[in-house]
Amino acid sequence: MGDAQQVAAEIVRLSEMGPEAFLDTVVRYVMGGTDKRAPREIQSAALHDPRLAAHTLQALRTAVQRAKSYNPLREGETRKQQQVRIAPWRERIKAAMPPLEDIIEDLAHENAKTLASLDDDVFAEWWTGFILDDPASQYVEALAFRSPRVARRAADLCRLMLEEPVSFMPDPPAGESGNARKRRIENFRQRVESEAAFLRYAVQYGEARQGRMPAQPNVRLQALKVLGERHPKELMELLRQERGGALEQAAEERRARRAVKRAARQSAQ
């Protein structure tokens, strides 16, 4: 079997592993361990292949978070001593990340070029599919959509999604209750709002790179808009109350000014 065939077979084997087994395999590889089922050079090529690179990078990030689990406290060892022992282990894991990040950045760049070439309807379809699927599991796609090349286009769609979520959601299941529908819409909104936050940073980054000062979002206006969409009656009541309070305050100020003027005239007589 040639190297290319061995790498392809190793990619299949690694892809079929459960999350924990894959994580352990990645950690063992980075720390210099060997695997009887694949030579290190074959395993390296498989783990850095574009088909597995994002999965490998995520495993490394998880390993950093679980450093204590891979380096448990030894008998008679203090917590401080454990931290000292863990530090070089953690740095070795982190040192393995940059080559994978470069691979993923290249993939995201190519994906962004493809997204930029799509017409509006197809772009909206792809973006909606990304939102409906779990964005956290689509690392390369997320980077592509958040690139300055297409971030504003996706951000514009987010605004439409928040205004008319049902237009972008799949048809409801048969017999869906009112509460279930509300939960489904709310979950969709939360996903859109989460992605919109990332897109705002991407748009601002793109503006800054072009020498333009990024505009600050009008948070109050956005909050009022969301409140009006979700609770229109409550918002109208609040506005009436505030408007009434403002009118009363203005009337009180006018009365106070008239009183001051009367007092001034009386003192002058």
Side-chain angles (χ1 to χ4, degrees), residues 181-194:
R181 181 176 184 276
K182 288 180 180 179
R183 286 194 299 269
R184 192 163 57 88
I185 292 175
E186 183 61 25
N187 180 61
F188 180 79
R189 283 182 181 277
Q190 288 176 356
R191 289 191 177 192
V192 173
E193 288 169 350
S194 176

Side-chain angles (χ1 to χ4, degrees), residues 171-247:
D171 293 336
E176 183 180 43
S177 67
N179 287 336
R181 181 176 184 276
K182 288 180 180 179
R183 286 194 299 269
R184 192 163 57 88
I185 292 175
E186 183 61 25
N187 180 61
F188 180 79
R189 283 182 181 277
Q190 288 176 356
R191 289 191 177 192
V192 173
E193 288 169 350
S194 176
E195 288 306 310
F198 287 114
L199 292 171
R200 278 196 294 273
Y201 287 114
V203 170
Q204 290 179 349
Y205 172 73
E207 291 175 344
R209 288 190 66 186
Q210 295 176 23
R212 299 198 302 269
M213 186 64 68
Q216 293 298 319
N218 190 329
V219 179
R220 288 189 176 185
L221 183 60
Q222 291 174 357
L224 277 174
K225 187 174 183 180
V226 173
L227 180 60
E229 291 169 351
R230 299 184 184 180
H231 307 287
K233 292 182 180 179
E234 290 84 348
L235 177 59
M236 291 303 298
E237 181 60 28
L238 286 171
L239 288 174
R240 280 194 293 270
Q241 292 176 6
E242 289 297 320
R243 189 178 294 114
L247 291 173

Side-chain angles (χ1 to χ4, degrees), residues 88-108:
W89 184 93
R90 184 183 282 115
E91 290 306 312
R92 189 165 178 178
I93 294 291
K94 289 181 177 180
M97 294 181 184
L100 292 161
E101 291 170 340
D102 290 342
I103 293 169
I104 291 168
E105 286 289 344
D106 289 343
L107 289 172

